[in-house]
Amino acid sequence: MNLTSTEKTLNFDLDLVATTGCQRARESERAGDYEGARAHLSPFWQVIGEGPRLEGLQPSTQAEVLLRAGVLSGWLGSARQIDNSQEFAKDLIGQAIRRFDSLRDFEKVAESQTDLAICYWREGAMDEARVWFAQALVHAVEPLNRARVLINSTTVEISSDRLDEALNLLQQTAPLLEGPSDHASYGRYYMQLALVFKRKGGAENLDRALIENAAASFHLEQAGHTRYLARVENNIGFIQLQLTRYDHALEHLDRARRIFNELKDSGSVAQVNETRARVFLSQQRYADAENAAIAAVRTLEHGGEQSLLAEALTTHGTALARIQNYQAACDTLQRAVNLAETAGDPVCAVRARLVMIEELQHFLPAREMVNSYLEADRSIGASPDAETVNRLRAAARSIIGEAPKTSLPKAGAFLSAGSLKEAVRRYEADLITDAMTQAGGQLTRTARLLGISHQGLGEILKSRHKELRKTPLKPRRRSIIKKW
Protein backbone atom coordinates (compact mmCIF):
# COMPACT_ATOMS: atom_id res chain seq x y z
CA MET A 1 0.00 0.00 0.00
CA ASN A 2 1.39 3.41 -0.99
CA LEU A 3 1.31 6.08 1.68
CA THR A 4 0.37 9.66 0.97
CA SER A 5 2.85 12.41 1.81
CA THR A 6 0.68 13.40 4.78
CA GLU A 7 0.72 9.83 6.14
CA LYS A 8 4.47 9.64 5.69
CA THR A 9 4.88 12.91 7.60
CA LEU A 10 2.64 11.66 10.41
CA ASN A 11 4.58 8.39 10.64
CA PHE A 12 7.88 10.28 10.70
CA ASP A 13 6.63 12.50 13.50
CA LEU A 14 5.32 9.47 15.43
CA ASP A 15 8.62 7.67 15.00
CA LEU A 16 10.51 10.72 16.25
CA VAL A 17 8.25 10.92 19.32
CA ALA A 18 8.87 7.23 20.03
CA THR A 19 12.64 7.49 19.56
CA THR A 20 12.87 10.52 21.83
CA GLY A 21 10.63 8.87 24.45
CA CYS A 22 12.79 5.74 24.42
CA GLN A 23 15.99 7.75 24.85
CA ARG A 24 14.56 9.65 27.81
CA ALA A 25 13.09 6.48 29.30
CA ARG A 26 16.51 4.81 29.14
CA GLU A 27 18.13 7.79 30.87
CA SER A 28 15.53 7.61 33.64
CA GLU A 29 16.09 3.84 33.97
CA ARG A 30 19.82 4.39 34.47
CA ALA A 31 18.99 6.80 37.30
CA GLY A 32 16.60 4.28 38.89
CA ASP A 33 13.53 6.40 38.13
CA TYR A 34 11.29 3.71 36.70
CA GLU A 35 8.04 5.64 37.04
CA GLY A 36 9.65 8.55 35.22
CA ALA A 37 10.77 6.17 32.50
CA ARG A 38 7.23 4.82 32.16
CA ALA A 39 5.93 8.39 31.79
CA HIS A 40 8.35 9.03 28.90
CA LEU A 41 7.12 5.87 27.21
CA SER A 42 3.43 6.53 27.98
CA PRO A 43 2.31 7.40 24.42
CA PHE A 44 3.22 3.83 23.45
CA TRP A 45 3.13 1.75 26.65
CA GLN A 46 1.98 2.08 30.27
CA VAL A 47 0.47 -1.11 31.69
CA ILE A 48 2.42 -4.22 32.73
CA GLY A 49 0.76 -7.18 31.04
CA GLU A 50 -0.17 -5.28 27.89
CA GLY A 51 1.90 -4.99 24.72
CA PRO A 52 3.14 -1.60 23.48
CA ARG A 53 1.68 0.31 20.53
CA LEU A 54 3.91 -0.24 17.51
CA GLU A 55 1.81 0.80 14.52
CA GLY A 56 3.42 3.38 12.25
CA LEU A 57 6.92 2.94 13.74
CA GLN A 58 10.11 1.97 11.92
CA PRO A 59 11.37 -1.60 12.62
CA SER A 60 14.32 -0.36 14.72
CA THR A 61 12.01 1.90 16.74
CA GLN A 62 9.55 -0.95 17.27
CA ALA A 63 12.39 -3.06 18.67
CA GLU A 64 13.47 -0.26 21.00
CA VAL A 65 9.93 0.31 22.29
CA LEU A 66 9.57 -3.43 22.95
CA LEU A 67 12.88 -3.46 24.83
CA ARG A 68 12.07 -0.44 26.97
CA ALA A 69 8.59 -1.80 27.80
CA GLY A 70 10.11 -5.17 28.68
CA VAL A 71 12.85 -3.71 30.87
CA LEU A 72 10.37 -1.51 32.73
CA SER A 73 7.98 -4.45 33.18
CA GLY A 74 10.82 -6.29 34.91
CA TRP A 75 11.92 -3.42 37.13
CA LEU A 76 8.46 -2.16 38.06
CA GLY A 77 7.20 -5.71 38.50
CA SER A 78 10.01 -6.36 40.96
CA ALA A 79 9.46 -3.08 42.81
CA ARG A 80 5.67 -3.58 43.03
CA GLN A 81 5.84 -7.40 43.33
CA ILE A 82 3.44 -7.88 40.42
CA ASP A 83 2.62 -11.50 39.65
CA ASN A 84 3.95 -12.84 36.30
CA SER A 85 5.69 -9.54 35.55
CA GLN A 86 9.02 -11.25 34.87
CA GLU A 87 7.42 -13.65 32.39
CA PHE A 88 5.79 -10.75 30.57
CA ALA A 89 9.06 -8.82 30.61
CA LYS A 90 10.91 -11.81 29.13
CA ASP A 91 8.36 -12.09 26.34
CA LEU A 92 8.71 -8.44 25.30
CA ILE A 93 12.51 -8.51 25.53
CA GLY A 94 12.56 -11.73 23.51
CA GLN A 95 10.57 -10.01 20.76
CA ALA A 96 13.04 -7.11 20.82
CA ILE A 97 16.01 -9.50 20.51
CA ARG A 98 14.54 -11.12 17.41
CA ARG A 99 13.94 -7.76 15.77
CA PHE A 100 17.37 -6.37 16.59
CA ASP A 101 18.91 -9.60 15.32
CA SER A 102 17.03 -9.33 12.01
CA LEU A 103 18.38 -5.76 11.72
CA ARG A 104 21.88 -7.08 12.54
CA ASP A 105 22.19 -4.54 15.36
CA PHE A 106 24.27 -6.78 17.60
CA GLU A 107 25.07 -4.17 20.24
CA LYS A 108 21.33 -3.85 20.89
CA VAL A 109 21.04 -7.64 20.82
CA ALA A 110 23.67 -7.75 23.59
CA GLU A 111 21.89 -5.05 25.60
CA SER A 112 18.59 -6.91 25.29
CA GLN A 113 20.11 -10.29 26.19
CA THR A 114 21.59 -8.72 29.33
CA ASP A 115 18.16 -7.46 30.39
CA LEU A 116 16.65 -10.86 29.63
CA ALA A 117 19.30 -12.54 31.83
CA ILE A 118 18.42 -10.15 34.67
CA CYS A 119 14.78 -11.30 34.49
CA TYR A 120 15.87 -14.94 34.77
CA TRP A 121 18.14 -14.04 37.70
CA ARG A 122 15.24 -12.35 39.50
CA GLU A 123 13.28 -15.60 39.20
CA GLY A 124 16.22 -17.58 40.61
CA ALA A 125 16.92 -19.39 37.32
CA MET A 126 20.70 -19.10 37.60
CA ASP A 127 21.69 -21.44 34.78
CA GLU A 128 19.41 -19.74 32.26
CA ALA A 129 20.63 -16.30 33.35
CA ARG A 130 24.24 -17.42 32.96
CA VAL A 131 23.56 -18.63 29.40
CA TRP A 132 22.01 -15.32 28.34
CA PHE A 133 24.85 -13.29 29.88
CA ALA A 134 27.33 -15.43 27.95
CA GLN A 135 25.40 -14.81 24.72
CA ALA A 136 25.37 -11.07 25.41
CA LEU A 137 29.12 -11.04 25.88
CA VAL A 138 29.53 -12.69 22.47
CA HIS A 139 27.59 -9.88 20.77
CA ALA A 140 28.84 -6.87 22.75
CA VAL A 141 31.85 -5.01 21.31
CA GLU A 142 31.55 -1.44 22.62
CA PRO A 143 33.46 -1.05 25.93
CA LEU A 144 30.57 0.32 28.02
CA ASN A 145 28.21 -2.32 26.66
CA ARG A 146 30.67 -5.09 27.52
CA ALA A 147 31.16 -3.52 30.95
CA ARG A 148 27.40 -3.59 31.54
CA VAL A 149 27.23 -7.28 30.59
CA LEU A 150 30.16 -8.20 32.83
CA ILE A 151 28.94 -6.20 35.84
CA ASN A 152 25.45 -7.67 35.66
CA SER A 153 26.89 -11.17 35.14
CA THR A 154 28.35 -10.98 38.63
CA THR A 155 24.83 -11.01 40.12
CA VAL A 156 24.48 -14.68 39.16
CA GLU A 157 27.94 -15.66 40.39
CA ILE A 158 27.52 -13.84 43.72
CA SER A 159 24.08 -15.42 44.21
CA SER A 160 25.65 -18.83 43.45
CA ASP A 161 28.57 -18.21 45.86
CA ARG A 162 31.04 -18.40 42.97
CA LEU A 163 32.94 -15.44 44.36
CA ASP A 164 36.25 -16.00 42.56
CA GLU A 165 34.39 -16.08 39.25
CA ALA A 166 32.61 -12.84 40.18
CA LEU A 167 35.95 -11.19 41.00
CA ASN A 168 37.35 -12.37 37.67
CA LEU A 169 34.42 -10.76 35.84
CA LEU A 170 34.96 -7.50 37.71
CA GLN A 171 38.67 -7.58 36.89
CA GLN A 172 37.73 -7.83 33.22
CA THR A 173 35.38 -4.88 33.70
CA ALA A 174 37.85 -2.42 35.25
CA PRO A 175 39.78 -1.56 32.03
CA LEU A 176 36.52 -0.96 30.17
CA LEU A 177 35.56 1.79 32.65
CA GLU A 178 38.74 3.80 32.14
CA GLY A 179 37.23 5.70 29.21
CA PRO A 180 34.42 8.30 29.43
CA SER A 181 33.23 8.97 32.96
CA ASP A 182 30.01 7.07 33.66
CA HIS A 183 29.04 7.46 37.31
CA ALA A 184 26.14 4.98 37.07
CA SER A 185 28.42 2.21 35.74
CA TYR A 186 31.16 3.00 38.26
CA GLY A 187 28.65 2.97 41.09
CA ARG A 188 27.31 -0.40 39.98
CA TYR A 189 30.86 -1.76 39.62
CA TYR A 190 31.80 -0.80 43.19
CA MET A 191 28.48 -2.11 44.52
CA GLN A 192 29.18 -5.55 43.10
CA LEU A 193 32.78 -5.50 44.30
CA ALA A 194 31.51 -4.71 47.80
CA LEU A 195 29.03 -7.61 47.62
CA VAL A 196 31.81 -10.05 46.75
CA PHE A 197 33.93 -9.03 49.75
CA LYS A 198 30.85 -9.02 51.99
CA ARG A 199 30.11 -12.62 50.97
CA LYS A 200 33.74 -13.66 51.54
CA GLY A 201 33.43 -12.58 55.17
CA GLY A 202 36.16 -12.06 57.74
CA ALA A 203 37.23 -8.74 59.23
CA GLU A 204 39.62 -7.81 56.42
CA ASN A 205 37.13 -8.55 53.65
CA LEU A 206 34.32 -6.76 55.48
CA ASP A 207 36.49 -3.66 55.88
CA ARG A 208 37.23 -3.83 52.16
CA ALA A 209 33.49 -4.13 51.47
CA LEU A 210 32.83 -0.94 53.44
CA ILE A 211 35.48 0.89 51.40
CA GLU A 212 33.98 -0.29 48.10
CA ASN A 213 30.50 0.71 49.28
CA ALA A 214 31.79 4.20 50.06
CA ALA A 215 33.09 4.46 46.48
CA ALA A 216 29.76 3.16 45.17
CA SER A 217 27.85 5.77 47.20
CA PHE A 218 29.96 8.60 45.77
CA HIS A 219 29.37 7.61 42.14
CA LEU A 220 25.69 6.77 42.63
CA GLU A 221 25.11 10.13 44.26
CA GLN A 222 26.78 11.79 41.27
CA ALA A 223 24.53 9.77 38.96
CA GLY A 224 21.43 10.67 40.99
CA HIS A 225 20.59 6.99 41.49
CA THR A 226 18.62 7.17 44.74
CA ARG A 227 17.38 3.59 44.48
CA TYR A 228 20.87 2.09 44.29
CA LEU A 229 22.03 4.39 47.09
CA ALA A 230 19.35 2.78 49.24
CA ARG A 231 20.63 -0.66 48.24
CA VAL A 232 24.11 0.35 49.35
CA GLU A 233 22.62 1.34 52.71
CA ASN A 234 21.02 -2.11 52.97
CA ASN A 235 24.33 -3.77 52.09
CA ILE A 236 26.20 -1.69 54.68
CA GLY A 237 23.58 -2.67 57.23
CA PHE A 238 24.28 -6.33 56.47
CA ILE A 239 28.02 -5.78 56.88
CA GLN A 240 27.46 -4.07 60.24
CA LEU A 241 25.43 -7.13 61.24
CA GLN A 242 28.37 -9.39 60.36
CA LEU A 243 30.61 -7.13 62.45
CA THR A 244 28.10 -7.51 65.34
CA ARG A 245 27.43 -3.75 65.35
CA TYR A 246 23.70 -4.23 65.61
CA ASP A 247 22.63 -0.67 66.38
CA HIS A 248 24.65 0.66 63.43
CA ALA A 249 23.15 -2.06 61.23
CA LEU A 250 19.61 -1.02 62.11
CA GLU A 251 20.41 2.65 61.46
CA HIS A 252 21.48 1.88 57.89
CA LEU A 253 18.60 -0.51 57.33
CA ASP A 254 16.02 1.97 58.59
CA ARG A 255 17.50 4.59 56.24
CA ALA A 256 17.27 2.18 53.31
CA ARG A 257 13.71 1.21 54.19
CA ARG A 258 12.64 4.85 54.41
CA ILE A 259 14.02 5.58 50.91
CA PHE A 260 12.40 2.50 49.39
CA ASN A 261 9.08 3.41 50.99
CA GLU A 262 9.32 6.87 49.43
CA LEU A 263 9.98 5.22 46.07
CA LYS A 264 7.02 2.85 46.65
CA ASP A 265 9.40 -0.05 46.06
CA SER A 266 7.73 -2.74 48.15
CA GLY A 267 10.00 -5.49 46.81
CA SER A 268 13.11 -3.75 48.11
CA VAL A 269 11.37 -2.89 51.40
CA ALA A 270 10.77 -6.62 51.80
CA GLN A 271 14.47 -7.36 51.27
CA VAL A 272 15.40 -4.77 53.89
CA ASN A 273 12.89 -6.32 56.30
CA GLU A 274 14.51 -9.71 55.75
CA THR A 275 17.89 -8.22 56.68
CA ARG A 276 16.34 -6.53 59.74
CA ALA A 277 14.99 -9.93 60.79
CA ARG A 278 18.53 -11.31 60.72
CA VAL A 279 19.71 -8.49 62.97
CA PHE A 280 16.87 -9.18 65.42
CA LEU A 281 17.81 -12.87 65.44
CA SER A 282 21.37 -11.95 66.39
CA GLN A 283 20.02 -9.72 69.15
CA GLN A 284 17.81 -12.60 70.38
CA ARG A 285 14.74 -10.44 69.68
CA TYR A 286 12.95 -13.42 68.26
CA ALA A 287 9.41 -12.00 68.20
CA ASP A 288 10.65 -8.91 66.32
CA ALA A 289 12.55 -11.19 63.93
CA GLU A 290 9.43 -13.25 63.26
CA ASN A 291 7.38 -10.11 62.55
CA ALA A 292 9.99 -8.63 60.19
CA ALA A 293 10.46 -11.90 58.35
CA ILE A 294 6.75 -12.56 57.86
CA ALA A 295 6.33 -9.01 56.54
CA ALA A 296 9.00 -9.78 53.94
CA VAL A 297 7.40 -13.11 53.04
CA ARG A 298 3.92 -11.65 52.61
CA THR A 299 5.21 -9.04 50.18
CA LEU A 300 7.42 -11.39 48.18
CA GLU A 301 4.63 -13.97 47.83
CA HIS A 302 2.89 -11.65 45.35
CA GLY A 303 5.80 -11.47 42.90
CA GLY A 304 7.68 -14.02 40.87
CA GLU A 305 11.08 -13.74 42.53
CA GLN A 306 11.24 -17.21 44.01
CA SER A 307 14.83 -17.07 45.27
CA LEU A 308 14.15 -13.93 47.31
CA LEU A 309 10.99 -15.52 48.71
CA ALA A 310 12.90 -18.71 49.58
CA GLU A 311 15.53 -16.63 51.38
CA ALA A 312 12.87 -14.77 53.36
CA LEU A 313 11.16 -18.06 54.21
CA THR A 314 14.47 -19.43 55.48
CA THR A 315 14.86 -16.46 57.82
CA HIS A 316 11.23 -16.78 58.89
CA GLY A 317 11.74 -20.49 59.57
CA THR A 318 14.73 -19.67 61.74
CA ALA A 319 12.68 -17.18 63.76
CA LEU A 320 9.86 -19.71 64.21
CA ALA A 321 12.34 -22.30 65.47
CA ARG A 322 13.79 -19.81 67.96
CA ILE A 323 10.34 -19.19 69.45
CA GLN A 324 9.96 -23.00 69.60
CA ASN A 325 7.21 -23.22 66.99
CA TYR A 326 9.00 -26.21 65.51
CA GLN A 327 6.33 -27.68 63.24
CA ALA A 328 5.67 -24.31 61.59
CA ALA A 329 9.42 -23.81 61.26
CA CYS A 330 9.78 -27.21 59.60
CA ASP A 331 6.96 -26.53 57.14
CA THR A 332 8.32 -23.06 56.32
CA LEU A 333 11.87 -24.29 55.71
CA GLN A 334 10.66 -27.17 53.55
CA ARG A 335 8.70 -24.66 51.49
CA ALA A 336 11.87 -22.61 51.10
CA VAL A 337 13.73 -25.69 49.86
CA ASN A 338 10.99 -26.54 47.37
CA LEU A 339 10.79 -23.00 45.99
CA ALA A 340 14.56 -22.68 45.60
CA GLU A 341 14.87 -26.04 43.86
CA THR A 342 11.96 -25.29 41.54
CA ALA A 343 13.45 -21.92 40.64
CA GLY A 344 16.82 -23.49 39.88
CA ASP A 345 18.74 -21.97 42.80
CA PRO A 346 20.54 -24.88 44.54
CA VAL A 347 22.63 -22.59 46.76
CA CYS A 348 19.50 -21.12 48.35
CA ALA A 349 18.09 -24.64 48.81
CA VAL A 350 21.30 -25.76 50.54
CA ARG A 351 21.08 -22.87 52.99
CA ALA A 352 17.49 -23.75 53.88
CA ARG A 353 18.43 -27.40 54.43
CA LEU A 354 21.33 -26.41 56.66
CA VAL A 355 19.02 -24.24 58.76
CA MET A 356 16.67 -27.23 59.15
CA ILE A 357 19.55 -29.26 60.59
CA GLU A 358 20.88 -26.44 62.76
CA GLU A 359 17.56 -25.29 64.21
CA LEU A 360 15.45 -28.47 64.28
CA GLN A 361 17.91 -31.16 65.37
CA HIS A 362 15.86 -31.94 68.51
CA PHE A 363 12.58 -31.99 66.58
CA LEU A 364 13.17 -33.86 63.33
CA PRO A 365 13.65 -37.66 63.23
CA ALA A 366 17.25 -38.76 62.65
CA ARG A 367 16.42 -40.15 59.20
CA GLU A 368 15.03 -36.79 58.04
CA MET A 369 18.11 -35.02 59.37
CA VAL A 370 20.35 -37.35 57.40
CA ASN A 371 18.27 -36.85 54.26
CA SER A 372 18.57 -33.07 54.60
CA TYR A 373 22.32 -33.38 55.02
CA LEU A 374 22.69 -35.69 52.00
CA GLU A 375 20.62 -33.47 49.76
CA ALA A 376 22.63 -30.42 50.87
CA ASP A 377 25.87 -32.26 50.21
CA ARG A 378 24.66 -33.33 46.76
CA SER A 379 23.59 -29.79 45.80
CA ILE A 380 26.53 -27.86 47.23
CA GLY A 381 28.39 -27.63 43.91
CA ALA A 382 32.03 -27.91 42.95
CA SER A 383 33.35 -24.77 44.66
CA PRO A 384 31.27 -23.85 47.73
CA ASP A 385 32.22 -20.91 49.90
CA ALA A 386 34.07 -21.56 53.15
CA GLU A 387 31.10 -20.65 55.37
CA THR A 388 28.84 -23.21 53.67
CA VAL A 389 31.50 -25.93 53.93
CA ASN A 390 31.97 -25.21 57.63
CA ARG A 391 28.23 -25.30 58.22
CA LEU A 392 27.92 -28.58 56.31
CA ARG A 393 30.65 -30.16 58.41
CA ALA A 394 29.05 -28.89 61.60
CA ALA A 395 25.73 -30.33 60.41
CA ALA A 396 27.33 -33.75 59.92
CA ARG A 397 28.87 -33.64 63.40
CA SER A 398 25.51 -32.60 64.83
CA ILE A 399 23.69 -35.48 63.14
CA ILE A 400 26.16 -38.08 64.38
CA GLY A 401 26.32 -36.56 67.86
CA GLU A 402 22.60 -36.03 68.40
CA ALA A 403 20.95 -39.03 66.74
CA PRO A 404 19.77 -41.83 69.06
CA LYS A 405 22.10 -44.78 69.39
CA THR A 406 19.42 -47.11 68.02
CA SER A 407 19.26 -45.16 64.76
CA LEU A 408 23.03 -45.08 64.40
CA PRO A 409 24.11 -48.63 65.13
CA LYS A 410 27.48 -48.22 63.47
CA ALA A 411 28.29 -44.65 64.47
CA GLY A 412 31.29 -45.68 66.57
CA ALA A 413 32.68 -47.79 63.75
CA PHE A 414 32.18 -44.92 61.36
CA LEU A 415 34.12 -42.48 63.48
CA SER A 416 37.00 -44.85 64.08
CA ALA A 417 37.26 -45.77 60.40
CA GLY A 418 38.29 -42.41 58.98
CA SER A 419 36.96 -39.02 57.98
CA LEU A 420 33.63 -37.52 58.91
CA LYS A 421 32.57 -37.55 55.27
CA GLU A 422 33.30 -41.28 55.02
CA ALA A 423 31.37 -41.88 58.23
CA VAL A 424 28.29 -40.18 56.83
CA ARG A 425 28.69 -42.04 53.52
CA ARG A 426 28.64 -45.38 55.31
CA TYR A 427 25.67 -44.38 57.40
CA GLU A 428 23.92 -43.34 54.19
CA ALA A 429 24.63 -46.78 52.69
CA ASP A 430 23.07 -48.47 55.75
CA LEU A 431 19.96 -46.30 55.51
CA ILE A 432 19.53 -47.06 51.81
CA THR A 433 20.08 -50.78 52.37
CA ASP A 434 17.47 -50.87 55.15
CA ALA A 435 14.99 -48.98 52.97
CA MET A 436 15.64 -51.30 50.02
CA THR A 437 14.94 -54.30 52.22
CA GLN A 438 11.65 -52.79 53.42
CA ALA A 439 10.69 -51.91 49.84
CA GLY A 440 11.45 -55.37 48.49
CA GLY A 441 14.13 -53.98 46.21
CA GLN A 442 11.76 -51.58 44.39
CA LEU A 443 13.62 -48.33 43.90
CA THR A 444 10.58 -46.08 43.65
CA ARG A 445 9.31 -47.38 47.01
CA THR A 446 12.84 -47.11 48.43
CA ALA A 447 13.04 -43.46 47.40
CA ARG A 448 9.64 -42.80 48.98
CA LEU A 449 10.72 -44.39 52.27
CA LEU A 450 13.86 -42.25 52.29
CA GLY A 451 11.87 -39.10 51.54
CA ILE A 452 13.72 -38.30 48.31
CA SER A 453 12.87 -38.44 44.61
CA HIS A 454 13.39 -41.48 42.38
CA GLN A 455 15.86 -39.41 40.34
CA GLY A 456 17.67 -38.27 43.46
CA LEU A 457 18.10 -41.84 44.68
CA GLY A 458 19.41 -42.82 41.25
CA GLU A 459 22.02 -40.07 41.37
CA ILE A 460 23.11 -41.07 44.89
CA LEU A 461 23.49 -44.73 43.88
CA LYS A 462 25.34 -43.84 40.69
CA SER A 463 27.75 -41.39 42.31
CA ARG A 464 28.35 -42.75 45.83
CA HIS A 465 27.01 -46.30 46.20
CA LYS A 466 27.53 -48.22 42.98
CA GLU A 467 27.95 -51.39 45.05
CA LEU A 468 24.27 -51.23 46.03
CA ARG A 469 23.13 -51.33 42.41
CA LYS A 470 22.99 -54.98 41.37
CA THR A 471 21.16 -54.07 38.16
CA PRO A 472 21.08 -50.81 36.18
CA LEU A 473 18.54 -48.34 37.48
CA LYS A 474 15.49 -48.46 35.24
CA PRO A 475 13.62 -45.25 34.46
CA ARG A 476 10.06 -45.08 35.69
CA ARG A 477 7.43 -45.89 33.14
CA ARG A 478 5.42 -43.00 31.84
CA SER A 479 1.68 -43.24 31.52
CA ILE A 480 0.48 -44.27 28.06
CA ILE A 481 -2.56 -42.06 28.55
CA LYS A 482 -1.92 -38.75 26.85
CA LYS A 483 -2.63 -35.72 28.99
CA TRP A 484 -4.44 -32.94 27.19
Side-chain angles (χ1 to χ4, degrees):
M1 181 180 68
N2 294 325
L3 297 176
T4 66
S5 60
T6 300
E7 288 172 327
K8 289 180 179 177
T9 300
L10 289 174
N11 285 350
F12 174 80
D13 291 343
L14 186 66
D15 202 79
L16 181 60
V17 170
T19 302
T20 302
C22 286
Q23 289 173 347
R24 291 176 177 171
R26 190 168 186 270
E27 291 170 2
S28 294
E29 287 170 26
R30 287 176 63 77
D33 181 8
Y34 305 130
E35 286 295 349
R38 174 155 57 178
H40 289 307
L41 207 61
S42 61
F44 305 93
W45 178 83
Q46 283 189 336
V47 180
I48 296 174
E50 296 181 5
R53 172 190 171 193
L54 303 175
E55 296 82 5
L57 302 179
Q58 294 295 318
S60 60
T61 310
Q62 290 180 351
E64 187 66 31
V65 171
L66 283 165
L67 176 59
R68 299 272 66 84
V71 170
L72 287 172
S73 293
W75 281 114
L76 289 167
S78 177
R80 304 288 187 266
Q81 287 297 291
I82 299 172
D83 192 25
N84 291 323
S85 58
Q86 300 310 311
E87 285 298 322
F88 186 72
K90 289 190 297 184
D91 178 62
L92 292 181
I93 296 171
Q95 293 182 52
I97 290 172
R98 291 189 288 275
R99 295 184 189 226
F100 284 129
D101 187 61
S102 68
L103 295 167
R104 302 190 66 77
D105 189 343
F106 298 122
E107 292 295 336
K108 294 300 297 186
V109 168
E111 179 186 335
S112 305
Q113 289 173 328
T114 301
D115 288 310
L116 184 61
I118 292 170
C119 292
Y120 277 107
W121 168 74
R122 289 194 191 106
E123 293 179 320
M126 302 302 170
D127 288 340
E128 288 87 347
R130 196 174 281 113
V131 167
W132 283 109
F133 279 130
Q135 286 293 312
L137 203 57
V138 169
H139 289 110
V141 175
E142 295 177 359
L144 285 179
N145 203 10
R146 287 185 66 82
R148 180 173 182 263
V149 177
L150 290 166
I151 290 171
N152 282 286
S153 296
T154 64
T155 57
V156 173
E157 307 311 333
I158 293 170
S159 297
S160 303
D161 281 333
R162 296 174 53 173
L163 303 180
D164 290 339
E165 180 60 28
L167 274 179
N168 178 52
L169 292 169
L170 291 169
Q171 287 167 0
Q172 295 178 52
T173 304
L176 301 173
L177 297 176
E178 291 176 354
S181 179
D182 182 349
H183 288 295
S185 294
Y186 274 108
R188 190 87 168 86
Y189 169 79
Y190 287 116
M191 271 182 67
Q192 296 306 102
L193 199 56
L195 284 173
V196 172
F197 287 109
K198 183 195 82 171
R199 280 290 184 93
K200 280 182 171 289
E204 185 175 345
N205 286 323
L206 293 177
D207 284 343
R208 174 73 182 273
L210 289 173
I211 293 170
E212 304 301 346
N213 273 318
S217 293
F218 168 78
H219 287 287
L220 292 171
E221 189 171 358
Q222 294 297 311
H225 206 310
T226 305
R227 196 180 302 266
Y228 276 178
L229 279 169
R231 290 194 181 183
V232 170
E233 287 292 327
N234 181 65
N235 295 338
I236 293 174
F238 202 105
I239 294 168
Q240 298 292 351
L241 163 62
Q242 291 173 288
L243 293 170
T244 68
R245 302 169 184 167
Y246 304 131
D247 290 340
H248 291 299
L250 290 173
E251 286 177 12
H252 287 281
L253 295 173
D254 288 343
R255 194 175 302 135
R257 189 170 60 160
R258 183 169 60 253
I259 295 170
F260 285 132
N261 273 319
E262 291 171 356
L263 294 170
K264 298 181 180 179
D265 188 337
S266 59
S268 294
V269 170
Q271 293 177 58
V272 175
N273 279 332
E274 193 272 335
T275 310
R276 292 174 67 244
R278 296 192 192 206
V279 177
F280 294 143
L281 285 171
S282 296
Q283 292 179 311
Q284 299 183 5
R285 295 166 57 182
Y286 300 136
D288 290 334
E290 202 270 338
N291 289 332
I294 193 59
V297 168
R298 285 172 178 165
T299 298
L300 294 169
E301 282 176 328
H302 297 292
E305 298 177 69
Q306 301 302 320
S307 287
L308 288 178
L309 175 56
E311 194 170 305
L313 285 166
T314 301
T315 302
H316 186 216
T318 306
L320 288 168
R322 299 285 176 87
I323 60 176
Q324 300 182 10
N325 192 346
Y326 296 123
Q327 186 59 59
C330 182
D331 294 341
T332 300
L333 291 167
Q334 187 59 56
R335 184 185 172 199
V337 169
N338 295 341
L339 279 171
E341 289 181 339
T342 301
D345 189 348
V347 171
C348 189
V350 167
R351 290 180 187 138
R353 289 188 184 280
L354 288 173
V355 171
M356 290 180 76
I357 297 170
E358 292 163 350
E359 300 292 338
L360 301 175
Q361 58 183 268
H362 301 301
F363 175 77
L364 289 176
R367 191 178 296 270
E368 289 187 33
M369 295 278 285
V370 172
N371 287 340
S372 292
Y373 170 83
L374 295 175
E375 287 297 320
D377 181 60
R378 183 177 63 83
S379 305
I380 197 171
S383 54
D385 65 293
E387 180 188 359
T388 302
V389 171
N390 289 335
R391 289 178 66 188
L392 194 67
R393 288 173 176 168
R397 289 193 295 269
S398 174
I399 290 169
I400 292 175
E402 294 292 334
K405 297 296 183 182
T406 55
S407 67
L408 285 171
K410 299 182 181 179
F414 290 167
L415 292 174
S416 62
S419 70
L420 181 62
K421 187 172 183 179
E422 178 62 18
V424 174
R425 194 193 74 81
R426 294 186 186 186
Y427 180 35
E428 177 183 48
D430 275 3
L431 288 174
I432 294 172
T433 301
D434 289 346
M436 279 182 166
T437 301
Q438 293 181 46
Q442 296 183 21
L443 292 179
T444 299
R445 288 185 61 196
T446 301
R448 191 178 298 119
L449 286 171
L450 291 169
I452 59 178
S453 67
H454 181 280
Q455 181 182 4
L457 176 59
E459 288 297 320
I460 291 171
L461 292 175
K462 184 168 60 176
S463 62
R464 295 198 291 269
H465 300 291
K466 295 178 182 178
E467 73 281 0
L468 298 180
R469 292 180 58 187
K470 296 180 180 179
T471 58
L473 184 63
K474 295 181 180 180
R476 289 173 293 176
R477 283 186 159 184
R478 296 184 180 274
S479 173
I480 61 174
I481 301 174
K482 186 174 182 181
K483 295 181 180 179
W484 297 93

